[in-house]
Amino acid sequence: MTTMRPSRPDELQAILAVHRAAFGREDEAGLVRRLQADGDLVFDRLAEDGGVVVAHVAFSPVRIAEGDDGKVLGLAPVAVLPEWQRGGVGSALIRASLDALRAEKQVRAVVVLGEPAYYARFGFTPASQAGLHDIYGGGDAFMAMALQPGGLDSYAGQVDYAPAFASLTE
């Protein structure tokens, strides 16, 4: 039975292994490690089955040019072990994470840079509709979703991810 829950500090190596396996490289695992070391891995969830970590999703703070109040998070990265991909565990983990953030009522909105068709199923829409853009030139792939009523109101301009993300563009 697959369980979804917050990670524990002693599970970092298992989480990094999931990211390495899912992406076939070190970049995303390194990103998670840097986010955690910098104190910017502010919310995460993992899926485990039989005591084995099979998926992980990370959320970190973003800065917004206008109206920033520290209540918007960036969703990234999300990883699922290859043998578990296309089975719904990644979608379930994202939904459970968004539901948990919504219930906490501390986060107003979430942004993501990803495949529009995939993230639209969770309620994400192009961030440009809320007057937001990213430094990566993501266009419609840069998406946002309010978690609270009016959650995207009062924000505008460029959204900057946590400093650890800069290493992905170097």
Side-chain angles (χ1 to χ4, degrees):
M1 180 172 154
T2 305
T3 330
M4 295 179 199
R5 60 171 177 77
S7 70
R8 297 185 309 260
D10 65 327
E11 295 173 311
L12 181 61
Q13 292 308 313
I15 289 166
L16 298 179
V18 170
H19 286 275
R20 282 186 201 103
F23 292 98
R25 60 186 187 192
E26 183 64 28
D27 294 1
E28 288 76 8
L31 172 61
V32 171
R33 186 182 312 104
R34 283 186 297 279
L35 287 170
Q36 199 259 357
D38 293 348
D40 285 333
L41 183 59
V42 297
F43 186 90
D44 78 336
R45 288 291 185 266
L46 59 76
E48 70 175 344
D49 189 81
V52 175
V53 177
V54 299
H56 179 256
V57 62
F59 293 82
S60 58
V62 297
R63 287 197 180 91
I64 303 173
E66 296 176 38
D68 188 42
D69 58 4
K71 295 186 177 190
V72 178
L73 296 180
L75 184 168
V78 58
V80 179
L81 287 177
E83 59 270 26
W84 283 81
Q85 292 174 6
R86 305 209 187 296
V89 71
S91 293
L93 185 59
I94 291 170
R95 278 192 183 89
S97 299
L98 294 171
D99 288 346
L101 285 168
R102 198 174 285 114
E104 287 181 6
K105 299 186 180 187
Q106 301 298 312
V107 177
R108 294 180 59 194
V110 172
V111 296
V112 65
L113 180 58
E115 175 57 45
Y118 182 77
Y119 286 99
R121 72 176 81 172
F122 306 108
F124 285 92
T125 58
S128 60
Q129 293 176 5
L132 300 172
H133 64 276
D134 64 309
I135 63 167
Y136 306 111
D140 284 349
F142 181 60
M143 306 178 82
M145 180 175 64
L147 296 180
Q148 307 300 328
L152 287 166
D153 296 351
S154 77
Y155 301 124
Q158 183 169 298
V159 177
D160 293 316
Y161 281 81
F165 282 87
S167 66
L168 293 179
T169 60
E170 295 172 349

